[in-house]
Amino acid sequence: MDAEQILLTFIALMAIIGNIVALYYLAKRRVNNYIMLCVNLSVSAEIQSIFGFLPTLFLEKDSKKTTLLCRLAAFFSVFPSFTSISILTAVAISRMFLLEKPFLSNHGCYRSLFYKIGMASWVYSLVWASLPLLGFSSYTLEATGSRCSINWTPKRVSDKIFLILLVILMFFLPLIIILVSCFYTARVIHLKLTYFSCTYGKDNIETKRFKKKENKAVLSLLIMVLSFLLCWTPYATIALLSAFTSITTPILLLRVAALFAKVSAVVNPIIYCTKENVFYNITIAFKLRNASLINRSRNMENKNNALDLKPTCAISCK
């Protein structure tokens, strides 16, 4: 294994372990609309890690043939990736929806709506991921010779149309929705902060609480946008270059794109599960467990010391 494969293997293992832990603790929490979307996000990242990343380790290095295993690995990398993007877009839309109608955020009918949003994200992504298998573009061996992906060297007009639509509907449209959601969320929180400042003053407890909430929200939104851009801009750049120019895609760009796309399987669940304090609860659980083990060991030591002192006490009493 070369350095690239070692790094990708490490990312895959981190994604598998991280998403299993996230799913375990998400399952223990009270189900709400946001939790459902987080579960879908972690499941898609887990599928991507196991069925998309690990099979590439068994592909022959610098192979010239596109095998069935290579195509399947490409499909199971692309399908969950599209699902993650769709779910992130759904998270952005749901945030605006719940800010608009906060008193109905956990209402039963809206919960069923969020179930449908999750299912629609999977179906929508499955359709896009299946098109290359049906003849619209194809899954083929990359120029790196180490993995398969969507055909980035299109020769047919249909292949170029597929890449253009893919960039519009799987990159630019979700990015616009995420940005609009971020600005809308920041605006709502800022308006509430202004209201509390004008009504109760800047030193009021509620004003300070909303100030902290605004700072946290802005940081969260920046991380959301930057992570999306970092993970998917390289592949969007490759698709645009392939569709509109005759430039051969640089191998370095292919390697970077594959690396950042795999990092998304680790980063996305951490970002969104952290908002529900999942990993904070994990830390607390480990601390409580360690504290209980320490207390048990101390109690055992005290009991042993007490047993050792009993004969001595008996002798001294005599």
Side-chain angles (χ1 to χ4, degrees), residues 151-154 160 163 237-245 247 249:
N151 185 8
W152 302 117
T153 56
K160 293 187 177 183
L163 289 178
T237 304
I238 290 172
L240 290 173
L241 288 175
S242 303
F244 293 106
T245 69
I247 299 174
T249 305

Side-chain angles (χ1 to χ4, degrees), residues 16-29 39 42-43 46 273 278-279 281-282 285-286:
I16 291 170
I17 296 170
N19 285 291
I20 287 175
V21 173
L23 285 170
Y24 176 75
Y25 281 91
L26 282 170
K28 289 188 170 185
R29 293 183 66 84
V39 168
S42 292
V43 169
E46 193 68 25
C273 292
V278 170
F279 292 103
N281 291 334
I282 293 171
F286 275 118

